[in-house]
Amino acid sequence: MWSSDLKVAEIIAVGSELLLGGRTDTNSVFLADLLAQQGIEVRFKSVVGDSVEDIGVVVKQAACRADLVLLTGGLGPTVDDLTREAVARVTGRPLRQRVQALRAIKASLASRGGTPTSFQLRQAAIPAGARVLPNPAGIAPGFALEWRGCLVIVLPGVPHEAKQLFTEVVLPMLAEKVGLREPADRRILHTFGLTESAVDQRLRSLFTQGKHIRLGVLASPLGVTISLTSWGQSLGGSGSSGPRKAATGQDRLVEKIRRRLHGYIFAEGQDSMEEVIGRTLTARGLTLSLAESCTGGLIVHRLTQVPGSSAYVERGVVCYSNRAKMELLGVKEKDLMNYGAVSSQVAGAMARGIRSRSRTDLGLSVTGIAGPSGGSPQKPVGLVYVGLATGRGCFTQEYRFHGDRSFIKLRASQGALDVVRRWLPVGIAKGK
Amino acid sequence: MWSSDLKVAEIIAVGSELLLGGRTDTNSVFLADLLAQQGIEVRFKSVVGDSVEDIGVVVKQAACRADLVLLTGGLGPTVDDLTREAVARVTGRPLRQRVQALRAIKASLASRGGTPTSFQLRQAAIPAGARVLPNPAGIAPGFALEWRGCLVIVLPGVPHEAKQLFTEVVLPMLAEKVGLREPADRRILHTFGLTESAVDQRLRSLFTQGKHIRLGVLASPLGVTISLTSWGQSLGGSGSSGPRKAATGQDRLVEKIRRRLHGYIFAEGQDSMEEVIGRTLTARGLTLSLAESCTGGLIVHRLTQVPGSSAYVERGVVCYSNRAKMELLGVKEKDLMNYGAVSSQVAGAMARGIRSRSRTDLGLSVTGIAGPSGGSPQKPVGLVYVGLATGRGCFTQEYRFHGDRSFIKLRASQGALDVVRRWLPVGIAKGK
């Protein structure tokens, strides 16, 4: 049907709310990642509003420079859902009520105990000649068609629907049509505790070594991430030795980076800090409880995003007030008076208190000043203390972060989890 | 310097990590919103990787269809920060070390007690003739230049830096150069408790009434949002009566929507559920404590994102285990045995327990099954109970959500806060 040589993809997110605020496009993140695993590189992304004309402009432009164009959004039942119409117009394929689409919509609604309204039935109108892609997680079906030598695929905008439809329907279709291709070799190393400039200085002399490897250094509240990407198809130029050679070069480079950033790398690949800690706690049979002040529940929220976390997260308490710190954790009033709630001493007392009261192996605490108010010259906004109580004693760590309230909360949560990560291998054992 | 008629803007986010996953572009959301307040409409957004060639392609394309092009990202000190070079090349303005930029970089580092490295000094290289925009919140300065009748502005990628530079430096510059323009009239109504189709059915007959008003209906885990936008410049066509007429029409339309969605609208404009609840609690002098199971701390995290929340959030506990529910909330073992942890009875006991132990006016609880495992035919994944204990008694609410773990957590947190919102006006008073 279409060219079997899909190298370059473009993703188009449709929706005025993506332009005007109220929603950010998250679909393109997992789509780009899944495409990279198929060796298909996303070179551009576009966002466009709910306008038949504007959608047409970006689809045309994408078809000029990409082999695969993925649209998400604008397939709903409301009057501002215009993707079907826009794709029909720009490709010159009029909309047709399709039996397969109708059947899929009715089946999907029946499973939720409903029948389609006349507006929902409009979702069965698909451009002529397009392949209907039934939606396994929702109502609106997607579709795929070939246009100007380019494969155009349209997915719903709801993230879990887009993900499931892409994974279960589109990926097998791509594999069947174009065959399996060498995936992009992508390595990601996540660090915490070094600035972007510090990472850059440690690695700079390595950056010229891997010419076929694209390097990226990215700072975020969660730390500095280093990425190395080599594309199977665009490497070497002459036959199959290219990718393999680059892969070996990439292995060596990753090994060198690991040595230069030793101790700061908390995860590799798609792993997050909370997943790494969850796996380590599970493997060692350890349980954890939390006492949060300035992070306000963010740490326990992050830990409990991981399926299965109920096995090691026994409880968490958010103690904003001094009274809650005394009642729930047994922090002494004189420590709060003498050192203040934001102090190494109180962080330690909070960690020991939550550990002993919950009878877990580890107790983790955070106290700090997230701002915007509450700071002083001695204790500025961004000052954060972390306490970790274990059977072998209690460690505390002081951090100073810069940024707004949500930035400081996020960075403090990461800093607290990093204390657990660093002490887990050496200082903590079950029942000690 | 440039055309004083800035109507259409395009935002370009630069960074391979935005294409490949690892980060989503959030800058364009607040930039689009701030531009709309100036009457400037963002019609397109693009995302492009760290490639001099690709950045050039999108800058050229944007300059063809927009009056204002805003780039964010790629101004850092590392080898993959290529925005300066790409803009210099595509516009034909070679990079020059600029005294003003150098001074800004040194001053910014000095305030953090540092001196610039040779790599950081490269950040002072700005295209010839461009206006340097010192960064009030970070190191890398931005810049602005005119090219092909279009104003091109380059900002750093770090969100709080981009926001502060845009607000403090770019907006006054725009106002000074182009004069004050009529802002877009944008109304947003946030609902919870109705599906997108149900909102659409209630409002459909209104959608044809406001021809000059762009309507949007958007579903997310936080509810269904309705937006109405009318653009001052593109309306009416004949002079100043256009916008005013549309604004009056918009007022009438908003009033009709409010009536048709009565009881479901929890906020308007940029307000979030947690801000609305925070303001109401503050105004009535009420305090709140939380007992979370399946939401894992997300509710208290969301509430404490709001500055000043320590005045009404007294404490929160995350009770994953039955033991924690009994110890921290006084839930009876026989209730856990008879009804199960996920039940209306236990939700009520949790809410009463946290309220009485923390001595707050309100106690809010959530218990449910976030999945992916733990469901049964009687109690499927997505079943959630909310309890709200007040001086006038305890209310419980059952919800059934569909989606993955993080979707269910988010929706359950919103559902719980919505229970507070709905009962606050009628059922709850201080000290009763």
Side-chain angles (χ1 to χ4, degrees), chain B residues 5-16:
Chain B
D5 204 17
L6 299 178
K7 282 181 190 163
V8 176
E10 174 149 352
I11 298 174
I12 300 169
V14 180
S16 294

Side-chain angles (χ1 to χ4, degrees), chain B residues 65-252:
Chain B
R65 61 191 181 196
D67 313 306
L68 173 65
V69 178
L70 268 175
L71 288 101
T72 62
L75 293 185
T78 65
V79 284
D80 61 335
D81 289 306
L82 298 170
T83 302
R84 276 181 296 270
E85 193 183 332
V87 173
R89 274 206 218 170
V90 74
T91 60
R93 313 266 185 93
L95 291 176
R96 299 259 184 271
Q97 283 279 338
R98 299 285 285 276
V99 176
Q100 201 199 345
L102 212 58
R103 213 179 285 143
I105 291 170
K106 283 182 179 166
S108 166
L109 279 162
S111 76
R112 295 158 190 235
T115 51
T117 64
S118 60
F119 304 113
Q120 283 168 330
L121 286 176
R122 283 197 345 188
Q123 294 174 297
I126 304 287
R131 177 165 166 178
V132 175
L133 308 175
N135 184 338
I139 294 156
F143 57 92
L145 54 86
E146 197 203 4
W147 183 58
R148 297 191 175 177
C150 177
L151 175 58
V152 179
I153 295 178
V154 182
L155 303 173
V158 181
H160 72 270
E161 295 182 19
K163 197 169 197 167
Q164 213 172 325
L165 181 53
F166 188 78
T167 313
E168 295 178 13
V169 181
V170 176
L171 276 186
M173 188 179 88
L174 289 178
E176 169 202 321
K177 289 287 173 189
V178 304
L180 286 174
R181 299 173 76 247
E182 184 135 22
D185 185 13
R186 184 158 160 78
R187 309 292 185 83
I188 303 172
L189 299 102
H190 304 281
T191 71
F192 187 84
L194 292 171
T195 64
E196 189 180 4
S197 285
V199 168
D200 196 58
Q201 272 178 317
R202 288 181 184 224
L203 301 186
R204 186 161 284 267
S205 67
L206 298 176
F207 282 176
T208 50
Q209 294 187 11
K211 268 185 284 184
H212 298 301
I213 298 166
R214 188 187 295 167
L215 278 150
V217 178
L218 171 72
S220 85
L222 300 179
V224 176
T225 294
I226 299 103
S227 63
L228 300 88
T229 313
S230 58
W231 291 95
Q233 298 301 310
S234 55
L235 292 171
S238 54
S240 65
S241 72
R244 203 169 307 130
K245 203 174 133 200
T248 321
Q250 189 136 310
D251 286 339
R252 279 198 302 268

Side-chain angles (χ1 to χ4, degrees), chain A residues 12-84:
Chain A
I12 299 170
V14 180
S16 294
E17 71 282 356
L18 298 170
L19 291 176
L20 276 164
R23 192 160 70 100
T24 49
D25 160 47
T26 54
N27 288 327
S28 61
V29 176
F30 63 76
L31 289 174
D33 191 58
L34 291 168
L35 286 168
Q37 290 170 25
Q38 304 298 311
I40 301 170
E41 180 177 11
V42 175
R43 286 267 293 278
F44 301 96
K45 289 184 194 173
S46 301
V47 180
V48 63
D50 300 302
S51 146
V52 169
E53 192 192 25
D54 290 356
I55 298 171
V57 167
V58 291
V59 170
K60 233 183 221 173
Q61 154 194 302
C64 294
R65 60 191 183 196
D67 312 307
L68 173 65
V69 178
L70 268 175
L71 288 102
T72 62
L75 293 184
T78 66
V79 284
D80 61 335
D81 289 306
L82 298 169
T83 303
R84 276 180 295 270

Side-chain angles (χ1 to χ4, degrees), chain A residues 147-415:
Chain A
W147 183 58
R148 297 191 175 177
C150 175
L151 175 59
V152 179
I153 295 177
V154 182
L155 303 174
V158 182
H160 73 270
E161 295 182 19
K163 197 170 198 168
Q164 213 172 325
L165 181 54
F166 188 78
T167 313
E168 295 178 13
V169 181
V170 176
L171 276 186
M173 188 180 87
L174 288 179
E176 171 202 319
K177 290 287 174 189
V178 304
L180 287 173
R181 299 175 74 250
E182 183 135 21
D185 185 11
R186 184 157 160 79
R187 310 292 185 82
I188 303 172
L189 298 101
H190 304 282
T191 70
F192 186 83
L194 291 171
T195 64
E196 190 179 4
S197 287
V199 168
D200 197 57
Q201 273 179 314
R202 287 184 184 220
L203 301 186
R204 187 160 281 267
S205 67
L206 298 176
F207 282 177
T208 50
Q209 294 187 8
K211 270 184 284 184
H212 298 303
I213 299 166
R214 188 187 297 166
L215 277 149
V217 177
L218 170 72
S220 87
L222 300 179
V224 176
T225 293
I226 299 103
S227 63
L228 300 90
T229 313
S230 57
W231 291 94
Q233 298 301 309
S234 55
L235 292 171
S238 54
S240 63
S241 72
R244 203 169 305 130
K245 203 172 135 200
T248 321
Q250 190 135 309
D251 286 339
R252 278 198 303 266
L253 198 51
V254 167
E255 205 36 64
K256 283 181 190 166
I257 293 173
R258 283 198 193 110
R259 277 201 298 271
R260 295 199 186 182
L261 301 177
H262 183 70
Y264 293 100
I265 298 171
F266 65 80
E268 299 198 5
Q270 297 302 315
D271 266 355
S272 64
M273 180 76 92
E274 47 271 40
E275 286 167 323
V276 167
I277 286 177
R279 270 204 306 276
T280 312
L281 292 174
T282 304
R284 313 218 353 218
L286 296 171
T287 55
L288 174 68
S289 55
L290 295 110
E292 301 185 52
S293 182
C294 68
T295 45
L298 176 55
I299 301 176
V300 63
H301 163 56
R302 288 181 58 192
L303 287 168
T304 59
Q305 288 288 85
V306 181
S309 46
S310 52
Y312 48 86
V313 177
E314 207 275 333
R315 75 183 65 173
V317 301
V318 178
C319 299
Y320 250 38
S321 68
N322 280 348
R323 180 159 69 83
K325 289 184 184 77
M326 293 186 282
E327 287 178 9
L328 290 176
L329 305 171
V331 176
K332 295 201 181 77
E333 189 162 17
K334 76 170 186 355
D335 285 345
L336 290 164
M337 300 288 282
N338 291 345
Y339 307 109
V342 179
S343 62
S344 170
Q345 290 84 353
V346 168
M350 289 169 67
R352 286 190 302 269
I354 192 68
R355 178 176 180 268
S356 70
R357 294 193 176 201
S358 63
R359 301 189 294 286
T360 50
D361 299 301
L362 309 177
L364 180 67
S365 73
V366 189
T367 177
I369 303 162
S373 61
S376 69
Q378 290 74 40
K379 296 191 176 179
V381 168
L383 177 67
V384 171
Y385 292 93
V386 174
L388 178 64
T390 77
R392 290 188 178 179
C394 182
F395 320 102
T396 61
Q397 162 96 46
E398 179 184 314
Y399 287 111
R400 269 160 204 265
F401 301 124
H402 301 272
D404 64 12
R405 183 179 178 89
S406 68
F407 185 94
I408 289 172
K409 276 184 74 174
L410 193 50
R411 213 153 159 70
S413 76
Q414 189 78 340

